[in-house]
Amino acid sequence: MVKRILVIEDEQNVAAFIKQGLCESGYEVFLAYESLQGLELLRQKEIDLLILDVILPGMSGILIAEKIRELGYKNLPIIMLTALGTTENIVKGLDSGADDYLVKPFKFKELLARIRALSRRHESSIVINQKLTILDLELDKDAKIVKRSGDEIKLTSTEFRLLEFLLKNKNRVLSRIDILENVWDISFNPGTNVVDVYVNYLRNKIDKDCKPKLIHTVIGMGYTLREPADNED
């Protein structure tokens, strides 16, 4: 369960607002106003979740997220805050290692909902090791490793969650809304094409140089991961 939250946010009014709301909701909160201070607090405290602004003095939130993952904090949930809400910026934030992305200005209730969702996801991941497979594709949930035909495939955390959701629902047609609500927990703007971007990322990594193709588009409905029919490649 998420109890101790680190907030790295250089706008002191925003940081104070977040801290007050989180404390009133029962969380223990640590504040940092710049990157190095935040990284030092992360080393000193047992942090359960990080709320990270993108634009910071010294080192951007993007670089901080990448650094945190490199330091071995693979399972630390990260929510990124930014005023930049385009698909390109969302993808950049998620690719850096963030688990979720909240665009300013936001309602505090939405931040709480995302914290609870990431907390549930984190708790559900602490289970007996489970492997999900289809044909020669294998996803090891515990080791966070994906292989196809025995070769390891490097995925970002978001790509891994997307593939895991597709594998859990193999042979089902999943709409973009289904994927948004289950991979990112909270819906982005329904007009965003972030799902299509990440499905293409996955295709390039698990299908591009392999046969048969496993990820299929169902026109007007969404995507499905399944074994191909006899007349398909």
Side-chain angles (χ1 to χ4, degrees):
M1 173 182 281
V2 169
K3 294 181 179 179
R4 297 157 64 90
I5 298 177
L6 171 61
V7 179
I8 307 179
E9 166 63 71
D10 66 321
E11 295 183 51
Q12 295 193 19
N13 289 339
V14 175
F17 163 73
I18 293 173
K19 180 176 181 178
Q20 180 181 347
L22 291 176
C23 288
E24 290 175 354
S25 300
Y27 296 101
E28 184 177 359
V29 182
F30 303 91
L31 287 185
Y33 301 114
E34 51 87 23
S35 54
L36 294 180
Q37 181 189 15
L39 288 172
E40 186 60 29
L41 280 170
L42 185 61
R43 293 187 185 99
Q44 294 175 358
K45 311 294 183 181
E46 293 184 6
I47 301 300
D48 300 314
L49 182 140
L50 172 62
I51 297 174
L52 176 63
D53 190 27
V54 169
I55 301 174
L56 291 167
M59 185 187 298
S60 74
I62 299 291
L63 293 177
I64 292 174
E66 292 174 346
K67 181 70 172 177
I68 286 171
R69 297 310 188 202
E70 289 172 4
L71 289 171
Y73 296 92
K74 301 295 186 183
N75 296 316
L76 176 69
I78 299 176
I79 299 176
M80 199 164 274
L81 305 179
T82 184
L84 308 172
T86 66
T87 297
E88 180 182 357
N89 287 311
I90 292 171
V91 169
K92 189 174 182 180
L94 295 172
D95 279 353
S96 72
D99 297 280
D100 208 344
Y101 198 100
L102 193 56
V103 178
K104 298 177 180 178
F106 56 85
K107 294 181 179 179
F108 187 73
K109 286 183 178 180
E110 183 177 5
L111 176 60
L112 281 179
R114 295 192 181 212
I115 290 171
R116 288 193 295 268
L118 281 178
S119 180
R120 289 193 299 270
R121 181 193 298 166
H122 181 67
E123 289 171 10
S124 67
S125 69
I126 307 174
V127 295
I128 297 173
N129 184 37
Q130 181 180 355
K131 292 182 179 180
L132 302 172
T133 63
I134 182 171
L135 292 181
D136 58 347
L137 178 66
E138 177 184 286
L139 180 148
D140 187 320
K141 293 175 62 177
D142 191 37
K144 297 292 189 287
I145 292 174
V146 172
K147 292 182 179 181
R148 184 151 192 199
S149 297
D151 296 325
E152 185 173 345
I153 299 170
K154 298 295 185 183
L155 300 182
T156 66
S157 59
T158 304
E159 291 165 352
F160 187 92
R161 291 199 307 273
L162 175 57
L163 180 59
E164 181 180 350
F165 182 62
L166 292 173
L167 278 165
K168 285 180 177 178
N169 293 275
K170 60 187 177 184
N171 301 316
R172 287 185 54 200
V173 177
L174 302 168
S175 70
R176 288 169 177 81
I177 297 298
D178 289 333
I179 295 171
L180 280 171
E181 290 181 346
N182 286 277
V183 176
W184 284 274
D185 294 306
I186 304 293
S187 297
F188 286 115
N189 182 332
T192 181
N193 66 337
V194 70
V195 170
D196 307 273
V197 169
Y198 273 93
V199 168
N200 283 333
Y201 283 174
L202 268 188
R203 277 182 163 147
N204 284 332
K205 292 185 176 183
I206 71 169
D207 271 350
K208 184 176 180 180
D209 298 319
C210 299
K211 287 187 177 182
K213 307 303 181 188
L214 297 175
I215 300 175
H216 303 270
T217 301
V218 182
I219 297 174
M221 299 179 69
Y223 298 100
T224 184
L225 188 145
R226 60 171 172 77
E227 297 181 26
D230 292 339
N231 60 343
E232 295 177 316
D233 289 332

